[in-house]
Amino acid sequence: MTLDTIDKKLIGYLQQDAKKTTKELSFLLGLSNTAVYERIKKLERQQVITNYVALIDKEKVEKNFMVLCHVKLNQHLKKNILQFEKEILKLEEVLECYHVSGDYDYIIKVFVKNMDAYRKFLVEKLTVISGIGSTQSTFVINEVKNTTHIVL
């Protein structure tokens, strides 16, 4: 799919603030409300825009202890990979999970309240998943950049 300049600008505005009205967007883009509405619907149908979310202040909900956990599987059998991925989807503390190359097989991003909560997560939820050979946890000291904005 090819995005024109207006589509790219529209996506940029929606990434900054998805609650902007079509009226506000039409003013910014120099288009009619209907034209903006139709472009948004087209982008949704083509799954360029896949979802709308509210971003939460992690401190205010006491989930600001971030850990990047590297996971290594015992064996790289298809059934082990699929089982791990199925189980990791069930863990509410895991916000992101990436199957990666290198020394570890997966990197997961975990948000919990504090170190005690992470230990409980590690001992009671993560390491009970069968097929895990080892884990290595990296504790985030400071978030330097965190954005959801993809520049087109």
Side-chain angles (χ1 to χ4, degrees), residues 6-22:
I6 294 172
D7 287 333
K8 291 176 183 179
K9 285 181 183 178
L10 175 58
I11 291 167
Y13 290 134
L14 289 171
Q15 286 183 105
Q16 290 171 5
D17 182 2
K19 289 188 75 172
K20 280 195 185 312
T21 64
T22 53

Side-chain angles (χ1 to χ4, degrees), residues 1-145:
M1 170 183 176
T2 305
L3 300 173
D4 65 19
T5 305
I6 294 172
D7 287 333
K8 291 176 183 179
K9 285 181 183 178
L10 175 58
I11 291 167
Y13 290 134
L14 289 171
Q15 286 183 105
Q16 290 171 5
D17 182 2
K19 289 188 75 172
K20 280 195 185 312
T21 64
T22 53
K23 183 178 180 181
E24 292 170 311
L25 292 166
S26 67
F27 175 77
L28 291 167
L29 295 168
L31 298 172
S32 70
N33 286 349
T34 304
V36 170
Y37 176 82
E38 290 302 324
R39 280 181 179 265
I40 291 171
K41 289 301 169 197
K42 178 188 79 167
L43 292 167
E44 291 171 349
R45 277 191 309 276
Q46 295 175 338
Q47 295 186 333
V48 174
I49 297 173
T50 59
N51 206 356
Y52 297 92
V53 299
L55 301 177
I56 306 299
D57 183 325
K58 293 174 266 326
E59 285 190 36
K60 291 183 179 170
V61 295
E62 296 184 325
K63 298 287 183 172
N64 59 323
F65 189 76
M66 184 191 332
V67 182
L68 299 174
C69 182
H70 297 70
V71 178
K72 187 181 291 190
L73 300 180
N74 282 331
Q75 294 181 311
H76 297 103
L77 301 174
K78 182 178 180 179
K79 69 176 186 166
N80 292 5
I81 291 168
L82 295 176
Q83 183 62 34
F84 173 81
E85 291 177 359
K86 179 182 173 188
E87 294 300 320
I88 209 74
L89 292 173
K90 298 175 186 176
L91 303 179
E92 64 187 23
E93 296 88 349
V94 176
L95 272 68
E96 298 174 31
C97 176
Y98 301 98
H99 192 179
V100 297
S101 64
D103 292 337
Y104 288 89
D105 300 308
Y106 291 90
I107 299 174
I108 61 174
K109 185 184 339 182
V110 178
F111 279 94
V112 290
K113 182 177 181 176
N114 54 31
M115 181 65 81
D116 290 336
Y118 181 68
R119 182 180 190 287
K120 182 176 181 177
F121 163 79
L122 191 65
V123 171
E124 296 179 9
K125 293 185 178 183
L126 184 62
T127 57
V128 299
I129 297 174
S130 90
I132 292 180
S134 65
T135 64
Q136 178 181 336
S137 301
T138 303
F139 304 103
V140 175
I141 296 169
N142 183 39
E143 190 174 88
V144 177
K145 181 176 181 178

